[in-house]
Structure formats: C-alpha cells, structure tokens
Amino acid sequence: QVQLVESGGGLVQAGGSLRLSCAASGRTFSDYVMAWFRQAPGKGREFVATISWNTGNTYYADSMKGRFTISRDNAKNTVYIQMNSLKPEDTAVYYCAARTRSPVYGGLWRYSDYSLYAYWGQGTQVTVSS
C-alpha cells in the first residue's frame, strides 16, 4: 500500500520560504508521477507542480513558475517542493499525490488534474502572514 507523508508546513512571513517534504513508501516509485496540490479555505484543490520520478521532468502551474521548485531524492524516496517569495494567497493545506505514469495521458501537463491521482497524503498547513 502506497503511503505519503507530508511535512515542513508552518507559519512564515510574506516574502519568506518553506520547503515541504513528501516521504513515499510502500512500493518502488520509478514509474510514478508525483505532484503537489493545495487547497485554501473555501476553495477547490489547486494544482501546484508535478514531477516524473523516473526522468525528473517537471511541470508547474503558471502562477507557481519561478517561485516554486519541485524535486525528488531517489535514495530517500522523498519529493520536495521549495517555495520562495511566499505570498498571503499561498496560504493553504498542501497535499502530496502519486499515481502511475500512463501512456494514455501523454505529457506531464495532463497530470495537473487532481482526479487522476489515486494516492494522497494527509496534507500540511502553510500559512503566510502579511
């Protein structure tokens, strides 16, 4: 059974940085796509970024480009999201998600759809104060 455990959330001032971690376990993830989503109070789940575990290729939501960086550490089975220049509107619960990569979907941009993901972590709260 795949398990995803997020950590690293907290309270930060606007302009600050945080790095979230997602520790994955339960199987080999070389054929998986990993992603970060977020959900602010009263809003739907929003795509942040995705990474192909095997190739390291990445894809970002337009609003995150240049501020957020997704990466993975194969040895630690961990995916990260480095978040810089944080804004109050980045306040949300951040979730890690995983699914197998499928040739049906083609490019990584297709994996921005949260409904494709079978496995989710419990989420970690990020609060950015102004």
Side-chain angles (χ1 to χ4, degrees), residues 45-75:
R45 197 155 293 194
E46 179 185 21
F47 170 72
V48 175
T50 188
I51 186 168
S52 169
W53 200 290
N54 185 34
T55 65
N57 291 338
T58 59
Y59 177 75
Y60 295 89
D62 286 344
S63 60
M64 319 298 172
K65 286 179 183 176
R67 296 194 301 128
F68 291 10
T69 303
I70 189 171
S71 62
R72 89 275 194 238
D73 184 326
N74 291 344

Side-chain angles (χ1 to χ4, degrees), residues 10 15 29 37 42-43 56 73 78 89 97 99 103 105 118 127-130:
F29 291 92
F37 290 81
K43 295 188 177 181
D73 184 326
T78 300
E89 51 264 44
R99 66 150 292 139
Y105 299 118
T127 303
V128 185
S129 63
S130 56

Side-chain angles (χ1 to χ4, degrees), residues 8-26:
L11 174 64
V12 64
Q13 289 189 331
S17 300
L18 278 176
R19 188 179 78 159
L20 307 182
S21 300
C22 171
S25 62

